[in-house]
Amino acid sequence: MAAEVPDIEPGDVTTGLWWIGALHGDAAAMRQLAACPKLLVRRSVARAPRLPADVVALLARDEDRVVRLFLAESCDDAPPGMLLEVAAWWDGSFSFPGRPRNHPNFPRDGLLRLVADPNPRLRALALDDPASTAAHVEQLGRDPDPGVRGAAAEDSRIAPESLVRLVADPDQGVRWRALANPVLPADELATRLLDPCSAEAAARNPAVPAAVMHRMVTLATAHSGAPAAQGSS
């Protein structure tokens, strides 16, 4: 079972106080405001794209997880250790897609030590380690947690036969991630494109031939009753 994501209240997710945003380039102001007892003030400072090293160090140790989250999402100076700590409980948001995992400071070397971690989010991150291998992908592709299996299902190093197995996984999220992997054998992809239960996810696979994609668009247009696009390709 996946680790529970700590609740972030709707009021917690904010771009910050506008007047603090206007001071983001003022190092002295950021130092003063980062020590403020008011949470919203510290959270607003953490939204700065760049901060002095001492301010970053202070906010990275903040007891408020939203301060640390905002720092991970917004600040290019966020430290590696804190980014990994946030990744242990945060899956990312539409506002900051991929963060903290795609942060330039995210620590990838040494993540293989997490391959057997009790936290499934951290186990999945092991595949980001440059030293990880296809064998690790296969191992995590049989993990009891669907989030970990899904990470393996997206990996280009996965064996085609393992991907076919994950296409039939009990978890829909795993199936959809597997269906989008271009490693999926052509015959299996064709089968899934013809299945109404999997066609939508399979159509997102970049390995779908262009001719097939054009045919799918033509059929969809005819079915919807909309006029077909004119012109040569």
Side-chain angles (χ1 to χ4, degrees):
M1 180 179 295
E4 183 180 356
V5 179
D7 291 333
I8 301 294
E9 298 297 328
D12 286 343
V13 182
T14 173
T15 55
L17 297 168
W18 70 267
W19 62 271
I20 293 181
L23 294 170
H24 277 167
D26 185 332
M30 292 299 97
R31 288 189 175 93
Q32 180 178 359
L33 294 169
C36 179
K38 298 289 188 180
L39 280 180
L40 187 54
V41 171
R42 301 201 308 277
R43 291 173 181 178
S44 301
V45 173
R47 282 298 189 201
R50 303 304 300 262
L51 286 167
D54 56 321
V55 176
V56 171
L58 179 63
L59 295 178
R61 299 191 305 270
D62 198 286
E63 63 182 13
D64 179 63
R65 65 172 178 238
V66 180
V67 170
R68 303 194 304 275
L69 171 62
F70 285 4
L71 194 68
E73 289 180 332
S74 301
C75 185
D76 287 348
D77 303 300
M82 189 213 69
L83 292 170
L84 186 58
E85 179 267 323
V86 172
W89 55 266
W90 186 251
D91 286 330
S93 68
F94 289 116
S95 300
F96 297 88
R99 292 289 176 106
R101 184 180 172 187
N102 67 357
H103 192 287
N105 293 342
F106 193 82
R108 287 174 173 77
D109 292 334
L111 289 179
L112 271 180
R113 71 185 187 279
L114 304 174
V115 73
D117 194 277
N119 186 334
R121 287 188 180 82
L122 295 180
R123 290 201 300 277
L125 290 175
L127 296 180
D128 287 352
D129 192 315
S132 64
T133 66
H136 295 111
V137 179
E138 297 300 317
Q139 175 185 344
L140 296 183
R142 296 184 179 276
D143 192 274
D145 184 84
V148 179
R149 296 197 304 277
E154 291 180 325
D155 200 292
S156 62
R157 297 168 294 180
I158 193 168
E161 59 271 20
S162 296
L163 195 57
V164 170
R165 172 176 52 78
L166 291 173
V167 161
D169 193 272
D171 184 85
Q172 183 186 59
V174 175
R175 296 196 301 271
W176 280 44
R177 293 167 82 173
L179 284 166
N181 193 330
V183 173
L184 192 65
D187 57 345
E188 181 69 20
L189 178 56
T191 298
R192 298 297 174 171
L193 284 168
L194 295 172
D195 184 345
C197 295
S198 58
E200 180 181 351
R204 298 174 181 173
N205 193 312
V208 175
V212 174
M213 294 179 66
H214 285 302
R215 177 61 175 163
M216 289 165 56
V217 171
T218 299
L219 291 173
T221 301
H223 180 72
S224 67
Q230 301 296 317
S232 57
S233 55

